[in-house]
Amino acid sequence: MGAVMKMDVTPYRNFLIMLSIAGIFLLVAIIVGAAGPQVYEKITWSAYQCPGGSRVWSDKCTGVTLRDPNQKWKMDLPPMHLFNKLWIIEMTPYKWQNITDGIEANIRPIVSIYGSNSPPGTSDKQQQIRVDDMHTDILECPQGSNSQCLTFTLVDEQFLTFAYYHVEISISSADVAHAWVGDVDFTLSRYTKGFGDMELSYRTIYLFFNVAILIAFLWRMKSTPFFNGWAFEQKAILVLLSALILYNDPFYGLTFLSKGWFFEFLNSVFETLFISLILLFWLIIIDKIRLDQLRLEPSVTHIVQLLVVGVYSIMTLILFAWARIRASEDPVYSERDGITGMLVLFWFISILYGAIIIWLIVLIVMTVPIVNQKKYLLNRFVFIGIPTILCIFSVIIGIFTGTLGPFNRDSLGLVYFLTLYNVYTYILVAGCWPVDESLLGVTVGAAGGRVNAGGEEGRELMATGVVNPGVSKNREGLEQLQEQL
């Protein structure tokens, strides 16, 4: 005999209270996220350094003109903190003031990077990180005098080895395009310390609650045989709780301490794994309710669901691996290199994800009339269906606003979706929490058999048509019992 679950006996008023509490947590997450720090901070310097920001070179300019291959733009970058995590320099050229035609030609920036743990001007010698590192890119400029050319990423340092960096950039004379370059803007981008603090704090807090809830759930279920006593929903929530621990990323702090792409990629694997498992859970559990199954009965539909979600998972992991490894192996690169293939894969994954969501919505719509006919399914459908619909609604908004996923991250998206998935899983845990039948004063026999209902919760238990996994599938006796109660 399997344990009866809370979702089968919880009065609707208690469920509404639970949803309200979850809503408060999400509202707080929105407020905190919206008021949170920016993910990146950007600092821009002009090579010319002309008065009033002029793009026309004159004797009043105090900077350098990089069309002269003998001149270098040199800059001591602001001090780096561990939570800055990385730093990127983007290059935005402008055409030389006397050129009006459009340009599309090769250009070869030369980059040197030096690092030190002491401020500039101290006795500590700067260590060479990259010296005269040349990379070919494309100078693309529209027609017009002093027009702004396309921006490209010049430096991408994914790990902070030093607290202080010195950068020197020039343009090779190997290509004629160097003479067409006028002013150049160099933009430093890096994670803000505040964002690093916030992400580490939220992940740690949710990880603590996650582990505590998992231990409590396992302790409560310890006397119930796993294979014969646990309902499918309880087995599923065990898997989701374990995956949620990974989603909260117990190794996240190591991303600030380790060089290379491994822990960043591992975080992406964990996120993909949890999202894939929760998509699969949604498809299977709604289908199970629609088919009115006491036990999960494997079918061809489940194989199709597994294949579709599996393809989504594999494609997502390929995208993460592509982006992370590419960035870690070639820190001096142009964002044009290989970006077309990544965009195609990204949009394919987005379309596939949207198709899965549409499939799930169709299943929910198909389940509604069945639940309306078989009232004993209503409690379970409401407890699982309503939070799932709200979660899907949030995901759809996240996709359209660009806050969902590893790209275009911001404080709002980070805090909200961390809170959403944690709170959603905790609601499922509450629903799958086992109920001791002896405390309810209920003995659940075969459908239509003798039943002793004692107390309000016991009557609610039988009124919803709850049976244990080992009970007969005959619903006729249950419906007669509902009429009597």
Side-chain angles (χ1 to χ4, degrees), residues 3 15 42 51 108 119 121 172 188 243 260 292 327 330 349 418 457 473:
F15 176 64
K42 293 180 178 289
R108 302 188 192 186
S172 170
L188 169 70
D292 191 11
D330 186 9
I349 292 171
L418 268 176
E457 284 189 295
K473 299 179 184 178

Side-chain angles (χ1 to χ4, degrees), residues 9 12 15 17 54 110 141 145 164 175 185 193 231 234 248 266 275 307 345 360 371 436 477:
V9 300
Y12 293 136
F15 176 64
I17 291 174
S54 172
I110 302 173
C141 313
S145 179
Y164 298 91
D175 299 299
D185 280 347
K193 179 180 179 297
Q234 292 168 328
N248 291 324
L266 194 63
I275 299 300
L307 287 175
L345 183 58
L360 181 61
V371 171
D436 191 339

Side-chain angles (χ1 to χ4, degrees), residues 300-453:
V300 175
T301 300
H302 295 142
I303 296 176
V304 174
Q305 292 169 344
L306 184 61
L307 287 175
V308 172
V309 175
V311 170
Y312 165 79
S313 303
I314 293 172
M315 292 295 102
T316 302
L317 286 179
I318 291 174
L319 178 63
F320 277 119
W322 191 350
R324 299 290 186 184
I325 295 175
R326 171 179 176 268
S328 64
E329 290 185 347
D330 186 9
V332 182
Y333 68 97
S334 165
E335 60 187 10
R336 294 185 184 88
D337 298 338
I339 196 68
T340 302
M342 293 179 68
L343 284 176
V344 170
L345 183 58
F346 173 76
W347 285 113
F348 174 79
I349 292 171
S350 300
I351 292 172
L352 182 58
Y353 189 92
I356 295 173
I357 295 298
I358 293 173
W359 186 2
L360 181 61
I361 293 173
V362 170
L363 282 178
I364 293 175
V365 173
M366 292 172 61
T367 305
V368 170
I370 295 173
V371 171
N372 191 45
Q373 293 176 1
K374 302 177 180 181
K375 300 297 184 184
Y376 49 78
L377 297 173
L378 186 58
N379 257 42
R380 188 163 298 194
F381 179 70
V382 168
F383 207 101
I384 294 177
I386 291 181
T388 297
I389 291 172
L390 295 176
C391 195
I392 292 173
F393 182 71
S394 295
V395 168
I396 292 174
I397 293 177
I399 291 175
F400 280 101
T401 57
T403 57
L404 181 63
F407 306 113
N408 300 320
R409 301 173 68 203
D410 57 17
S411 295
L412 176 58
L414 170 72
V415 177
Y416 181 78
F417 283 103
L418 268 176
T419 303
L420 174 70
Y421 287 129
N422 277 273
V423 169
Y424 174 79
T425 306
Y426 300 158
I427 290 176
L428 292 181
V429 173
C432 294
W433 202 265
V435 177
D436 191 339
E437 295 172 22
S438 63
L439 297 178
L440 296 175
V442 176
T443 301
V444 183
R450 182 181 177 185
V451 177
N452 174 27

Side-chain angles (χ1 to χ4, degrees), residues 2 8 127 170 187 192 219 242 261 279 286 293 308 320 340 353 369 392 404 407 423 447 452 469 476 482:
D8 298 311
Q127 298 185 34
S170 60
T187 301
T192 62
W219 181 263
S242 302
W261 54 268
L279 283 173
I286 298 300
Q293 295 177 344
V308 172
F320 277 119
T340 302
Y353 189 92
I392 292 173
L404 181 63
F407 306 113
V423 169
N452 174 27
E476 183 179 352
Q482 290 172 0

Side-chain angles (χ1 to χ4, degrees), residues 69-99:
N70 296 317
Q71 295 197 27
K72 294 182 178 181
W73 177 79
K74 301 178 181 181
M75 180 60 62
D76 291 316
L77 302 183
M80 299 289 177
H81 186 276
L82 187 64
F83 284 171
N84 291 135
K85 201 172 183 178
L86 53 80
W87 58 276
I88 298 169
I89 289 184
E90 294 176 314
M91 180 176 177
T92 305
Y94 289 78
K95 285 194 306 183
W96 179 249
Q97 54 212 41
N98 296 328
I99 299 176

